[in-house]
Short mmCIF file of all heavy atoms in Angstrom, two decimals:
data_model
loop_
_atom_site.label_atom_id
_atom_site.label_comp_id
_atom_site.label_asym_id
_atom_site.label_seq_id
_atom_site.Cartn_x
_atom_site.Cartn_y
_atom_site.Cartn_z
N ILE A 1 37.05 -86.90 132.28
CA ILE A 1 36.15 -86.72 131.15
C ILE A 1 34.72 -86.85 131.66
O ILE A 1 34.39 -87.84 132.30
CB ILE A 1 36.40 -87.76 130.04
CG1 ILE A 1 37.82 -87.64 129.51
CG2 ILE A 1 35.37 -87.63 128.94
CD1 ILE A 1 38.20 -88.74 128.55
N GLU A 2 33.90 -85.86 131.35
CA GLU A 2 32.50 -85.91 131.75
C GLU A 2 31.56 -86.15 130.57
O GLU A 2 30.52 -86.76 130.73
CB GLU A 2 32.12 -84.62 132.47
CG GLU A 2 32.80 -84.48 133.80
CD GLU A 2 32.33 -83.27 134.58
OE1 GLU A 2 31.34 -82.63 134.17
OE2 GLU A 2 32.97 -82.96 135.59
N THR A 3 31.94 -85.65 129.41
CA THR A 3 31.11 -85.85 128.22
C THR A 3 31.99 -86.23 127.04
O THR A 3 33.16 -85.86 126.98
CB THR A 3 30.32 -84.57 127.85
OG1 THR A 3 31.25 -83.53 127.58
CG2 THR A 3 29.38 -84.16 128.96
N ILE A 4 31.39 -86.93 126.11
CA ILE A 4 32.04 -87.25 124.84
C ILE A 4 31.12 -86.73 123.75
O ILE A 4 29.94 -87.09 123.71
CB ILE A 4 32.27 -88.76 124.68
CG1 ILE A 4 33.15 -89.29 125.82
CG2 ILE A 4 32.92 -89.05 123.32
CD1 ILE A 4 33.32 -90.79 125.82
N GLU A 5 31.64 -85.89 122.91
CA GLU A 5 30.84 -85.29 121.85
C GLU A 5 30.43 -86.35 120.82
O GLU A 5 31.16 -87.32 120.57
CB GLU A 5 31.65 -84.20 121.13
CG GLU A 5 32.03 -83.03 122.01
CD GLU A 5 30.83 -82.26 122.51
OE1 GLU A 5 29.86 -82.08 121.75
OE2 GLU A 5 30.85 -81.85 123.68
N ASP A 6 29.27 -86.15 120.21
CA ASP A 6 28.83 -87.03 119.13
C ASP A 6 29.89 -87.10 118.05
O ASP A 6 30.51 -86.09 117.70
CB ASP A 6 27.53 -86.53 118.51
CG ASP A 6 26.32 -86.79 119.40
OD1 ASP A 6 26.48 -87.46 120.43
OD2 ASP A 6 25.23 -86.33 119.04
N LEU A 7 30.13 -88.28 117.56
CA LEU A 7 31.08 -88.54 116.47
C LEU A 7 32.51 -88.13 116.84
O LEU A 7 33.32 -87.84 115.97
CB LEU A 7 30.63 -87.86 115.18
CG LEU A 7 29.21 -88.22 114.71
CD1 LEU A 7 28.80 -87.37 113.52
CD2 LEU A 7 29.08 -89.68 114.39
N ALA A 8 32.84 -88.13 118.11
CA ALA A 8 34.18 -87.74 118.57
C ALA A 8 35.28 -88.64 118.01
O ALA A 8 36.42 -88.22 117.90
CB ALA A 8 34.24 -87.77 120.10
N PHE A 9 34.93 -89.84 117.63
CA PHE A 9 35.93 -90.81 117.16
C PHE A 9 35.92 -90.97 115.64
O PHE A 9 36.32 -92.01 115.12
CB PHE A 9 35.68 -92.16 117.85
CG PHE A 9 35.71 -92.06 119.34
CD1 PHE A 9 34.54 -92.17 120.08
CD2 PHE A 9 36.90 -91.84 120.02
CE1 PHE A 9 34.56 -92.08 121.47
CE2 PHE A 9 36.93 -91.75 121.41
CZ PHE A 9 35.76 -91.87 122.13
N THR A 10 35.50 -89.94 114.94
CA THR A 10 35.34 -90.02 113.48
C THR A 10 36.59 -90.47 112.75
O THR A 10 36.51 -91.25 111.81
CB THR A 10 34.88 -88.65 112.92
OG1 THR A 10 33.63 -88.33 113.51
CG2 THR A 10 34.75 -88.67 111.42
N SER A 11 37.74 -90.05 113.15
CA SER A 11 38.97 -90.40 112.42
C SER A 11 39.59 -91.71 112.92
O SER A 11 40.69 -92.07 112.50
CB SER A 11 39.99 -89.27 112.55
OG SER A 11 40.32 -89.08 113.92
N LEU A 12 38.88 -92.44 113.75
CA LEU A 12 39.45 -93.66 114.34
C LEU A 12 38.67 -94.92 113.95
O LEU A 12 38.52 -95.85 114.74
CB LEU A 12 39.47 -93.53 115.87
CG LEU A 12 40.28 -92.36 116.41
CD1 LEU A 12 40.08 -92.22 117.91
CD2 LEU A 12 41.75 -92.53 116.08
N GLU A 13 38.22 -94.97 112.72
CA GLU A 13 37.36 -96.08 112.30
C GLU A 13 38.03 -97.46 112.35
O GLU A 13 37.35 -98.48 112.36
CB GLU A 13 36.77 -95.83 110.91
CG GLU A 13 37.77 -95.66 109.79
CD GLU A 13 38.29 -94.25 109.65
OE1 GLU A 13 37.67 -93.31 110.17
OE2 GLU A 13 39.34 -94.09 109.00
N LYS A 14 39.35 -97.52 112.44
CA LYS A 14 40.04 -98.82 112.52
C LYS A 14 40.41 -99.21 113.95
O LYS A 14 41.00 -100.26 114.18
CB LYS A 14 41.30 -98.79 111.65
CG LYS A 14 40.97 -98.69 110.17
CD LYS A 14 42.20 -98.75 109.32
CE LYS A 14 41.81 -98.61 107.86
NZ LYS A 14 42.97 -98.67 106.98
N LEU A 15 40.03 -98.38 114.90
CA LEU A 15 40.32 -98.64 116.31
C LEU A 15 39.67 -99.95 116.76
O LEU A 15 38.51 -100.21 116.46
CB LEU A 15 39.78 -97.49 117.16
CG LEU A 15 40.18 -97.48 118.63
CD1 LEU A 15 41.68 -97.15 118.76
CD2 LEU A 15 39.36 -96.47 119.39
N LYS A 16 40.43 -100.78 117.49
CA LYS A 16 39.92 -102.07 117.93
C LYS A 16 39.66 -102.11 119.44
O LYS A 16 38.84 -102.88 119.89
CB LYS A 16 40.89 -103.17 117.54
CG LYS A 16 41.01 -103.34 116.03
CD LYS A 16 41.76 -104.58 115.67
CE LYS A 16 41.98 -104.75 114.22
NZ LYS A 16 40.88 -104.59 113.34
N TYR A 17 40.37 -101.30 120.21
CA TYR A 17 40.22 -101.31 121.66
C TYR A 17 40.10 -99.88 122.17
O TYR A 17 40.92 -99.03 121.83
CB TYR A 17 41.44 -101.99 122.30
CG TYR A 17 41.38 -102.03 123.80
CD1 TYR A 17 40.64 -103.00 124.45
CD2 TYR A 17 42.05 -101.09 124.56
CE1 TYR A 17 40.58 -103.04 125.84
CE2 TYR A 17 41.98 -101.11 125.94
CZ TYR A 17 41.26 -102.09 126.58
OH TYR A 17 41.19 -102.11 127.94
N LEU A 18 39.07 -99.62 122.96
CA LEU A 18 38.88 -98.28 123.52
C LEU A 18 38.63 -98.40 125.02
O LEU A 18 37.70 -99.07 125.46
CB LEU A 18 37.69 -97.58 122.86
CG LEU A 18 37.37 -96.17 123.35
CD1 LEU A 18 38.56 -95.23 123.16
CD2 LEU A 18 36.14 -95.63 122.62
N ASP A 19 39.50 -97.77 125.78
CA ASP A 19 39.42 -97.79 127.24
C ASP A 19 39.17 -96.36 127.73
O ASP A 19 40.04 -95.51 127.63
CB ASP A 19 40.75 -98.32 127.79
CG ASP A 19 40.83 -98.29 129.30
OD1 ASP A 19 39.99 -97.66 129.96
OD2 ASP A 19 41.76 -98.91 129.83
N ILE A 20 37.96 -96.12 128.20
CA ILE A 20 37.63 -94.82 128.79
C ILE A 20 37.10 -95.05 130.21
O ILE A 20 36.07 -94.55 130.61
CB ILE A 20 36.68 -93.98 127.91
CG1 ILE A 20 35.58 -94.82 127.29
CG2 ILE A 20 37.43 -93.24 126.85
CD1 ILE A 20 34.65 -94.05 126.38
N GLU A 21 37.88 -95.83 130.94
CA GLU A 21 37.58 -96.17 132.32
C GLU A 21 37.89 -95.01 133.26
O GLU A 21 38.68 -94.13 132.93
CB GLU A 21 38.43 -97.36 132.78
CG GLU A 21 38.28 -98.60 131.96
CD GLU A 21 39.26 -99.69 132.38
OE1 GLU A 21 40.05 -99.50 133.31
OE2 GLU A 21 39.23 -100.75 131.73
N ASN A 22 37.31 -95.10 134.46
CA ASN A 22 37.64 -94.19 135.56
C ASN A 22 37.49 -92.71 135.20
O ASN A 22 38.39 -91.91 135.46
CB ASN A 22 39.06 -94.47 136.07
CG ASN A 22 39.20 -95.87 136.60
OD1 ASN A 22 38.44 -96.28 137.48
ND2 ASN A 22 40.13 -96.62 136.06
N ASN A 23 36.38 -92.39 134.60
CA ASN A 23 36.06 -90.99 134.29
C ASN A 23 34.76 -90.64 134.99
O ASN A 23 34.33 -91.35 135.89
CB ASN A 23 35.97 -90.79 132.78
CG ASN A 23 37.34 -90.83 132.14
OD1 ASN A 23 38.12 -89.90 132.27
ND2 ASN A 23 37.65 -91.94 131.46
N ASN A 24 34.14 -89.58 134.54
CA ASN A 24 32.88 -89.15 135.13
C ASN A 24 31.81 -89.04 134.05
O ASN A 24 30.99 -88.13 134.08
CB ASN A 24 33.09 -87.82 135.87
CG ASN A 24 31.94 -87.51 136.81
OD1 ASN A 24 31.28 -88.40 137.30
ND2 ASN A 24 31.70 -86.23 137.03
N ILE A 25 31.85 -89.97 133.11
CA ILE A 25 30.88 -89.96 132.01
C ILE A 25 29.51 -90.31 132.56
O ILE A 25 29.34 -91.30 133.26
CB ILE A 25 31.30 -90.97 130.91
CG1 ILE A 25 32.65 -90.54 130.33
CG2 ILE A 25 30.24 -91.07 129.83
CD1 ILE A 25 33.30 -91.59 129.45
N LYS A 26 28.53 -89.47 132.25
CA LYS A 26 27.18 -89.67 132.78
C LYS A 26 26.19 -90.17 131.72
O LYS A 26 25.30 -90.93 132.02
CB LYS A 26 26.66 -88.36 133.37
CG LYS A 26 27.39 -87.92 134.63
CD LYS A 26 26.76 -86.70 135.22
CE LYS A 26 27.40 -86.15 136.45
NZ LYS A 26 28.43 -86.84 137.11
N ILE A 27 26.39 -89.72 130.48
CA ILE A 27 25.46 -90.08 129.41
C ILE A 27 26.23 -90.67 128.23
O ILE A 27 27.23 -90.11 127.79
CB ILE A 27 24.66 -88.85 128.94
CG1 ILE A 27 23.84 -88.28 130.10
CG2 ILE A 27 23.76 -89.20 127.75
CD1 ILE A 27 23.15 -86.96 129.80
N VAL A 28 25.73 -91.79 127.73
CA VAL A 28 26.29 -92.39 126.53
C VAL A 28 25.28 -92.16 125.41
O VAL A 28 24.24 -92.82 125.35
CB VAL A 28 26.56 -93.91 126.73
CG1 VAL A 28 27.10 -94.52 125.45
CG2 VAL A 28 27.52 -94.13 127.89
N ASN A 29 25.58 -91.18 124.57
CA ASN A 29 24.68 -90.83 123.46
C ASN A 29 24.78 -91.84 122.33
O ASN A 29 25.81 -92.50 122.15
CB ASN A 29 25.02 -89.44 122.92
CG ASN A 29 24.70 -88.34 123.90
OD1 ASN A 29 23.73 -88.43 124.63
ND2 ASN A 29 25.53 -87.32 123.93
N LYS A 30 23.73 -91.92 121.53
CA LYS A 30 23.69 -92.92 120.47
C LYS A 30 24.67 -92.66 119.33
O LYS A 30 24.97 -93.57 118.57
CB LYS A 30 22.27 -93.05 119.91
CG LYS A 30 21.77 -91.83 119.19
CD LYS A 30 20.36 -92.06 118.67
CE LYS A 30 19.86 -90.82 117.96
NZ LYS A 30 18.53 -90.99 117.44
N ASN A 31 25.20 -91.46 119.20
CA ASN A 31 26.09 -91.15 118.08
C ASN A 31 27.58 -91.13 118.43
O ASN A 31 28.40 -90.89 117.56
CB ASN A 31 25.71 -89.81 117.45
CG ASN A 31 24.36 -89.86 116.80
OD1 ASN A 31 24.01 -90.83 116.14
ND2 ASN A 31 23.56 -88.83 116.99
N ILE A 32 27.91 -91.40 119.67
CA ILE A 32 29.32 -91.33 120.06
C ILE A 32 30.18 -92.35 119.32
O ILE A 32 31.25 -92.04 118.82
CB ILE A 32 29.47 -91.54 121.59
CG1 ILE A 32 28.84 -90.39 122.36
CG2 ILE A 32 30.94 -91.69 121.98
CD1 ILE A 32 28.81 -90.62 123.85
N PHE A 33 29.72 -93.59 119.28
CA PHE A 33 30.55 -94.68 118.78
C PHE A 33 30.27 -95.06 117.32
O PHE A 33 30.84 -96.03 116.83
CB PHE A 33 30.37 -95.91 119.67
CG PHE A 33 30.67 -95.63 121.12
CD1 PHE A 33 29.67 -95.72 122.08
CD2 PHE A 33 31.94 -95.29 121.53
CE1 PHE A 33 29.94 -95.47 123.42
CE2 PHE A 33 32.23 -95.03 122.86
CZ PHE A 33 31.22 -95.12 123.81
N VAL A 34 29.44 -94.32 116.64
CA VAL A 34 29.05 -94.65 115.26
C VAL A 34 30.24 -94.94 114.34
O VAL A 34 30.23 -95.92 113.60
CB VAL A 34 28.14 -93.55 114.66
CG1 VAL A 34 27.95 -93.75 113.16
CG2 VAL A 34 26.80 -93.55 115.38
N PRO A 35 31.32 -94.15 114.37
CA PRO A 35 32.43 -94.40 113.43
C PRO A 35 33.26 -95.65 113.75
O PRO A 35 34.04 -96.09 112.91
CB PRO A 35 33.32 -93.16 113.55
CG PRO A 35 32.49 -92.14 114.23
CD PRO A 35 31.53 -92.89 115.08
N LEU A 36 33.10 -96.23 114.91
CA LEU A 36 34.00 -97.29 115.37
C LEU A 36 33.56 -98.68 114.92
O LEU A 36 33.34 -99.57 115.73
CB LEU A 36 34.14 -97.22 116.89
CG LEU A 36 34.67 -95.90 117.44
CD1 LEU A 36 34.71 -95.94 118.96
CD2 LEU A 36 36.05 -95.59 116.87
N LYS A 37 33.49 -98.88 113.65
CA LYS A 37 32.98 -100.12 113.09
C LYS A 37 33.89 -101.33 113.32
O LYS A 37 33.46 -102.47 113.23
CB LYS A 37 32.71 -99.95 111.60
CG LYS A 37 31.63 -98.91 111.33
CD LYS A 37 31.29 -98.81 109.88
CE LYS A 37 30.32 -97.74 109.52
NZ LYS A 37 29.44 -97.20 110.49
N SER A 38 35.17 -101.10 113.65
CA SER A 38 36.11 -102.19 113.89
C SER A 38 36.33 -102.49 115.37
O SER A 38 37.08 -103.39 115.72
CB SER A 38 37.47 -101.86 113.26
OG SER A 38 37.35 -101.71 111.86
N LEU A 39 35.67 -101.75 116.23
CA LEU A 39 35.89 -101.87 117.66
C LEU A 39 35.50 -103.26 118.17
O LEU A 39 34.41 -103.76 117.90
CB LEU A 39 35.08 -100.82 118.41
CG LEU A 39 35.51 -100.57 119.84
CD1 LEU A 39 36.91 -99.94 119.89
CD2 LEU A 39 34.52 -99.67 120.56
N LYS A 40 36.43 -103.89 118.91
CA LYS A 40 36.18 -105.22 119.47
C LYS A 40 35.99 -105.18 120.97
O LYS A 40 35.27 -106.00 121.53
CB LYS A 40 37.33 -106.16 119.12
CG LYS A 40 37.41 -106.44 117.63
CD LYS A 40 38.49 -107.43 117.31
CE LYS A 40 38.52 -107.61 115.81
NZ LYS A 40 38.54 -108.97 115.40
N THR A 41 36.63 -104.23 121.64
CA THR A 41 36.54 -104.13 123.10
C THR A 41 36.30 -102.68 123.50
O THR A 41 37.02 -101.79 123.06
CB THR A 41 37.84 -104.63 123.77
OG1 THR A 41 38.07 -105.98 123.39
CG2 THR A 41 37.74 -104.54 125.27
N LEU A 42 35.29 -102.46 124.34
CA LEU A 42 34.97 -101.14 124.85
C LEU A 42 34.84 -101.23 126.36
O LEU A 42 34.02 -102.00 126.87
CB LEU A 42 33.66 -100.63 124.24
CG LEU A 42 33.11 -99.31 124.78
CD1 LEU A 42 34.11 -98.17 124.62
CD2 LEU A 42 31.79 -98.98 124.12
N SER A 43 35.65 -100.47 127.07
CA SER A 43 35.58 -100.46 128.52
C SER A 43 35.13 -99.08 129.00
O SER A 43 35.80 -98.08 128.78
CB SER A 43 36.92 -100.80 129.15
OG SER A 43 36.80 -100.80 130.55
N LEU A 44 33.98 -99.08 129.67
CA LEU A 44 33.42 -97.88 130.27
C LEU A 44 33.35 -98.03 131.79
O LEU A 44 32.65 -97.28 132.45
CB LEU A 44 32.03 -97.62 129.72
CG LEU A 44 31.93 -97.22 128.25
CD1 LEU A 44 30.51 -97.34 127.75
CD2 LEU A 44 32.44 -95.82 128.06
N LYS A 45 34.07 -98.99 132.32
CA LYS A 45 33.92 -99.27 133.75
C LYS A 45 34.38 -98.11 134.62
O LYS A 45 35.19 -97.29 134.20
CB LYS A 45 34.63 -100.57 134.13
CG LYS A 45 36.12 -100.54 134.15
CD LYS A 45 36.63 -101.92 134.53
CE LYS A 45 38.13 -101.97 134.53
NZ LYS A 45 38.62 -103.30 134.86
N SER A 46 33.81 -98.08 135.81
CA SER A 46 34.12 -97.06 136.81
C SER A 46 33.83 -95.64 136.32
O SER A 46 34.63 -94.72 136.49
CB SER A 46 35.56 -97.18 137.29
OG SER A 46 35.77 -98.44 137.90
N ASN A 47 32.68 -95.47 135.71
CA ASN A 47 32.16 -94.16 135.34
C ASN A 47 30.89 -93.92 136.13
O ASN A 47 30.43 -94.78 136.87
CB ASN A 47 31.89 -94.08 133.83
CG ASN A 47 33.13 -93.77 133.04
OD1 ASN A 47 33.59 -92.64 133.01
ND2 ASN A 47 33.70 -94.78 132.39
N SER A 48 30.30 -92.77 135.96
CA SER A 48 29.06 -92.42 136.67
C SER A 48 27.89 -92.41 135.71
O SER A 48 27.09 -91.48 135.69
CB SER A 48 29.22 -91.04 137.32
OG SER A 48 30.30 -91.04 138.21
N ILE A 49 27.76 -93.46 134.92
CA ILE A 49 26.76 -93.51 133.86
C ILE A 49 25.35 -93.54 134.45
O ILE A 49 25.02 -94.39 135.26
CB ILE A 49 26.99 -94.71 132.93
CG1 ILE A 49 28.34 -94.55 132.22
CG2 ILE A 49 25.85 -94.84 131.92
CD1 ILE A 49 28.75 -95.72 131.37
N GLU A 50 24.55 -92.58 134.01
CA GLU A 50 23.16 -92.47 134.42
C GLU A 50 22.20 -92.84 133.30
O GLU A 50 21.06 -93.20 133.54
CB GLU A 50 22.86 -91.04 134.88
CG GLU A 50 23.67 -90.60 136.08
CD GLU A 50 23.53 -89.11 136.39
OE1 GLU A 50 22.87 -88.39 135.62
OE2 GLU A 50 24.12 -88.69 137.40
N GLN A 51 22.70 -92.71 132.06
CA GLN A 51 21.83 -92.95 130.91
C GLN A 51 22.64 -93.50 129.75
O GLN A 51 23.71 -92.98 129.44
CB GLN A 51 21.16 -91.64 130.49
CG GLN A 51 20.36 -91.73 129.22
CD GLN A 51 19.82 -90.37 128.79
OE1 GLN A 51 19.55 -89.50 129.62
NE2 GLN A 51 19.66 -90.19 127.49
N ILE A 52 22.09 -94.54 129.12
CA ILE A 52 22.64 -95.05 127.86
C ILE A 52 21.51 -94.98 126.85
O ILE A 52 20.46 -95.62 127.04
CB ILE A 52 23.15 -96.50 128.01
CG1 ILE A 52 24.29 -96.56 129.02
CG2 ILE A 52 23.61 -97.03 126.65
CD1 ILE A 52 24.79 -97.96 129.33
N ASP A 53 21.70 -94.19 125.82
CA ASP A 53 20.66 -94.04 124.80
C ASP A 53 20.39 -95.36 124.09
O ASP A 53 21.29 -96.20 123.94
CB ASP A 53 21.09 -93.02 123.73
CG ASP A 53 21.01 -91.58 124.20
OD1 ASP A 53 20.55 -91.33 125.33
OD2 ASP A 53 21.42 -90.70 123.42
N ASP A 54 19.14 -95.53 123.66
CA ASP A 54 18.81 -96.68 122.81
C ASP A 54 19.73 -96.65 121.60
O ASP A 54 20.01 -95.59 121.05
CB ASP A 54 17.36 -96.60 122.34
CG ASP A 54 16.37 -96.81 123.46
OD1 ASP A 54 16.76 -97.35 124.52
OD2 ASP A 54 15.20 -96.43 123.28
N TYR A 55 20.18 -97.80 121.19
CA TYR A 55 21.03 -97.96 120.01
C TYR A 55 22.42 -97.34 120.16
O TYR A 55 23.11 -97.13 119.17
CB TYR A 55 20.35 -97.43 118.74
CG TYR A 55 19.01 -98.08 118.50
CD1 TYR A 55 17.83 -97.39 118.76
CD2 TYR A 55 18.93 -99.38 118.03
CE1 TYR A 55 16.59 -97.99 118.56
CE2 TYR A 55 17.70 -99.98 117.83
CZ TYR A 55 16.54 -99.29 118.09
OH TYR A 55 15.33 -99.88 117.90
N ALA A 56 22.87 -97.07 121.38
CA ALA A 56 24.19 -96.47 121.59
C ALA A 56 25.31 -97.35 121.05
O ALA A 56 26.35 -96.86 120.63
CB ALA A 56 24.42 -96.19 123.07
N PHE A 57 25.09 -98.67 121.04
CA PHE A 57 26.13 -99.61 120.60
C PHE A 57 25.73 -100.31 119.30
O PHE A 57 26.35 -101.28 118.89
CB PHE A 57 26.39 -100.64 121.69
CG PHE A 57 26.67 -100.03 123.03
CD1 PHE A 57 25.79 -100.19 124.08
CD2 PHE A 57 27.81 -99.25 123.25
CE1 PHE A 57 26.03 -99.62 125.33
CE2 PHE A 57 28.06 -98.67 124.49
CZ PHE A 57 27.17 -98.86 125.52
N TYR A 58 24.72 -99.80 118.64
CA TYR A 58 24.13 -100.45 117.47
C TYR A 58 25.12 -100.71 116.34
O TYR A 58 25.12 -101.77 115.74
CB TYR A 58 22.96 -99.61 116.96
CG TYR A 58 22.24 -100.20 115.78
CD1 TYR A 58 21.38 -101.27 115.95
CD2 TYR A 58 22.41 -99.68 114.51
CE1 TYR A 58 20.71 -101.83 114.88
CE2 TYR A 58 21.75 -100.23 113.43
CZ TYR A 58 20.90 -101.31 113.62
OH TYR A 58 20.25 -101.87 112.55
N ASN A 59 25.96 -99.74 116.02
CA ASN A 59 26.89 -99.87 114.88
C ASN A 59 28.14 -100.68 115.21
O ASN A 59 28.98 -100.87 114.35
CB ASN A 59 27.30 -98.50 114.36
CG ASN A 59 26.22 -97.88 113.53
OD1 ASN A 59 25.22 -98.51 113.21
ND2 ASN A 59 26.39 -96.61 113.17
N LEU A 60 28.27 -101.14 116.41
CA LEU A 60 29.48 -101.85 116.83
C LEU A 60 29.34 -103.34 116.55
O LEU A 60 29.34 -104.18 117.45
CB LEU A 60 29.76 -101.59 118.31
CG LEU A 60 29.92 -100.12 118.70
CD1 LEU A 60 30.16 -99.99 120.19
CD2 LEU A 60 31.06 -99.48 117.93
N SER A 61 29.25 -103.68 115.29
CA SER A 61 28.99 -105.07 114.90
C SER A 61 30.14 -106.02 115.21
O SER A 61 29.94 -107.23 115.30
CB SER A 61 28.65 -105.14 113.41
OG SER A 61 29.73 -104.66 112.64
N GLN A 62 31.35 -105.50 115.40
CA GLN A 62 32.51 -106.34 115.72
C GLN A 62 32.75 -106.45 117.23
O GLN A 62 33.66 -107.16 117.67
CB GLN A 62 33.77 -105.77 115.05
CG GLN A 62 33.70 -105.70 113.53
CD GLN A 62 33.52 -107.08 112.93
OE1 GLN A 62 34.23 -108.02 113.27
NE2 GLN A 62 32.55 -107.21 112.03
N LEU A 63 31.96 -105.74 118.02
CA LEU A 63 32.18 -105.69 119.46
C LEU A 63 32.01 -107.07 120.11
O LEU A 63 30.99 -107.74 119.92
CB LEU A 63 31.20 -104.71 120.11
CG LEU A 63 31.51 -104.32 121.55
CD1 LEU A 63 32.79 -103.51 121.63
CD2 LEU A 63 30.36 -103.52 122.14
N LYS A 64 33.03 -107.49 120.85
CA LYS A 64 33.01 -108.78 121.55
C LYS A 64 32.92 -108.56 123.06
O LYS A 64 32.37 -109.39 123.78
CB LYS A 64 34.28 -109.58 121.23
CG LYS A 64 34.48 -109.86 119.77
CD LYS A 64 33.41 -110.77 119.23
CE LYS A 64 33.67 -111.06 117.76
NZ LYS A 64 32.48 -111.38 117.02
N THR A 65 33.50 -107.46 123.56
CA THR A 65 33.54 -107.22 125.00
C THR A 65 33.09 -105.79 125.30
O THR A 65 33.65 -104.84 124.76
CB THR A 65 34.97 -107.42 125.54
OG1 THR A 65 35.44 -108.71 125.20
CG2 THR A 65 35.01 -107.24 127.05
N LEU A 66 32.11 -105.69 126.17
CA LEU A 66 31.64 -104.40 126.68
C LEU A 66 31.70 -104.47 128.19
O LEU A 66 31.00 -105.26 128.82
CB LEU A 66 30.21 -104.14 126.22
CG LEU A 66 29.53 -102.89 126.78
CD1 LEU A 66 30.29 -101.63 126.39
CD2 LEU A 66 28.08 -102.83 126.31
N ASP A 67 32.56 -103.65 128.78
CA ASP A 67 32.76 -103.68 130.23
C ASP A 67 32.09 -102.46 130.87
O ASP A 67 32.51 -101.32 130.64
CB ASP A 67 34.25 -103.70 130.55
CG ASP A 67 34.54 -103.99 132.01
OD1 ASP A 67 33.60 -103.92 132.84
OD2 ASP A 67 35.70 -104.28 132.32
N LEU A 68 31.04 -102.72 131.63
CA LEU A 68 30.31 -101.67 132.34
C LEU A 68 30.42 -101.86 133.86
O LEU A 68 29.61 -101.32 134.61
CB LEU A 68 28.84 -101.67 131.92
CG LEU A 68 28.56 -101.33 130.46
CD1 LEU A 68 27.11 -101.60 130.12
CD2 LEU A 68 28.95 -99.90 130.17
N PHE A 69 31.40 -102.60 134.29
CA PHE A 69 31.57 -102.88 135.71
C PHE A 69 31.72 -101.58 136.52
O PHE A 69 32.40 -100.65 136.11
CB PHE A 69 32.81 -103.75 135.93
CG PHE A 69 33.09 -104.06 137.38
CD1 PHE A 69 32.34 -105.00 138.05
CD2 PHE A 69 34.09 -103.40 138.05
CE1 PHE A 69 32.58 -105.28 139.38
CE2 PHE A 69 34.34 -103.67 139.38
CZ PHE A 69 33.59 -104.62 140.06
N ASN A 70 31.05 -101.54 137.64
CA ASN A 70 31.16 -100.43 138.58
C ASN A 70 30.72 -99.09 137.99
O ASN A 70 31.29 -98.06 138.26
CB ASN A 70 32.57 -100.33 139.15
CG ASN A 70 32.63 -99.53 140.43
OD1 ASN A 70 31.67 -99.51 141.19
ND2 ASN A 70 33.74 -98.86 140.68
N THR A 71 29.70 -99.14 137.15
CA THR A 71 29.10 -97.89 136.66
C THR A 71 27.85 -97.66 137.51
O THR A 71 27.05 -98.56 137.71
CB THR A 71 28.72 -97.96 135.17
OG1 THR A 71 27.88 -99.09 134.96
CG2 THR A 71 29.95 -98.06 134.30
N ILE A 72 27.74 -96.48 137.99
CA ILE A 72 26.65 -96.17 138.93
C ILE A 72 25.47 -95.61 138.19
O ILE A 72 25.58 -94.80 137.34
CB ILE A 72 27.14 -95.17 140.00
CG1 ILE A 72 28.30 -95.80 140.75
CG2 ILE A 72 26.03 -94.78 140.92
CD1 ILE A 72 29.01 -94.84 141.69
#
């Protein structure tokens, strides 16, 4: 996976754990995770992240763990 479209997770508003490790994601846009209001754990480790937009994680009020290990 190289890109994630804005609002890609629209139908997953009750999702609690999202693992998108070991991909080639370069940009984390501010609208990707907006629908995920119940998300508690997000793992983006081992991606090629070059940019994280301001407020990319703003709506994730339940988020307890954000794993960005080994992102270049």
